[in-house]
């Protein structure tokens, strides 16, 4: 497959399909992880130019009846992306940043999966590893799932997860911007 450049007049989109290209080009090689690192890089770029939005105020939930909690739909911040990989892509990415490259120990590709939250803050982009249940919860919200469905997906990802605490942590991380009830 030949890599075709972006069809957009905006040069920002030139890397949009690069990860898919690398999936094909590196499949079955020892560099297969390159595609997931490219996905992380692209998500970082998208976060840089995404719309801004004020943080979610948890006090707004006081207007919702407890009977309606299961049908809540939370909207994630527009400058938020989630990247999952079977490789330790966040460690790989960090090891290749100018400020840490010289001090980073070698990384084993068998070190385990990465579930990365990328979110733009006021003065920087934050990259953070998430646990399986927390990642599943945020991913479900990003796809428009109700709180009930999102809790089910998070529980499947980690049966022992404290879902109420996970929701509180997600709110504390300022990843949610609004809600509605279905």
């Amino acid at each position: 497959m030949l890599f075709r450049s972006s069809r957009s007049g905006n040069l920002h989109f030139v890397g949009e399909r690069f990860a898919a290209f690398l999936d094909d080009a590196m499949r079955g090689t020892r560099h297969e992880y390159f595609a997931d690192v490219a996905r992380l890089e692209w998500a970082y770029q998208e976060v840089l130019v995404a719309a801004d939005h004020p943080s979610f105020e948890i006090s707004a939930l006081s207007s919702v009846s407890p009977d309606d909690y299961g049908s809540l739909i939370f909207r994630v911040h527009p400058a938020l992306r989630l990247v999952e990989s079977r490789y330790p892509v966040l460690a790989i990415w960090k090891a290749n940043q100018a400020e840490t490259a010289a001090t980073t120990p070698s990384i084993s590709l068998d070190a385990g999966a990465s579930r990365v939250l990328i979110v733009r803050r006021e003065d920087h982009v934050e990259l953070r590893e998430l646990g399986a249940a927390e990642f599943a919860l945020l991913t479900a919200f990003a796809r428009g799932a109700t709180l009930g469905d999102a809790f089910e997906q998070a529980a499947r990802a980690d049966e022992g997860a404290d879902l109420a605490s996970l929701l509180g942590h997600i709110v504390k991380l300022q990843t949610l911007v609004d809600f509605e009830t279905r």
Side-chain angles (χ1 to χ4, degrees):
M1 173 178 137
L2 293 175
F3 180 64
R4 292 195 169 86
S5 62
S6 172
R7 292 185 174 120
S8 171
N10 181 340
L11 288 179
H12 171 75
F13 296 102
V14 76
E16 185 175 26
R17 297 188 325 235
F18 190 54
F21 166 76
L22 289 173
D23 272 334
D24 290 340
M26 300 296 169
R27 186 174 290 118
T29 73
R30 65 187 183 114
H31 302 295
E32 204 167 32
Y33 69 94
F34 283 13
D36 288 346
V37 175
R39 277 185 192 82
L40 180 66
E41 284 281 349
W42 181 248
Y44 189 101
Q45 292 304 311
E46 285 184 314
V47 162
L48 286 175
V49 298
D52 203 8
H53 200 287
S55 297
F56 172 75
E57 293 294 330
I58 193 113
S59 61
L61 288 173
S62 65
S63 66
V64 178
S65 165
D67 294 339
D68 294 330
Y69 287 170
S71 63
L72 282 169
I73 299 172
F74 290 100
R75 282 193 221 97
V76 299
H77 198 291
L80 175 148
R81 298 295 182 275
L82 298 160
V83 174
E84 185 172 29
S85 173
R86 65 185 177 128
Y87 300 105
V89 292
L90 183 55
I92 294 166
W93 185 86
K94 285 181 176 180
N96 287 283
Q97 300 308 300
E99 62 274 6
T100 57
T103 61
T104 304
S106 64
I107 297 167
S108 169
L109 294 179
D110 297 325
S114 279
R115 293 169 199 90
V116 184
L117 164 70
I118 305 121
V119 62
R120 189 182 69 233
R121 302 298 185 194
E122 190 170 306
D123 61 348
H124 69 285
V125 174
E126 178 181 342
L127 292 97
R128 168 190 296 256
E129 288 276 358
L130 298 177
E134 193 171 27
F135 187 86
L137 190 62
L138 255 177
T139 300
F141 289 153
R143 292 181 179 149
T146 63
L147 179 60
D149 291 341
F151 271 178
E152 285 179 23
Q153 291 174 39
R156 279 195 300 272
D158 180 355
E159 291 179 15
D162 178 351
L163 300 176
S165 292
L166 287 179
L167 180 60
H169 187 244
I170 286 171
V171 170
K172 186 178 176 182
L173 288 175
Q174 299 176 331
T175 58
L176 306 177
V177 296
D178 205 357
F179 70 92
E180 62 185 73
T181 54
R182 184 179 290 172

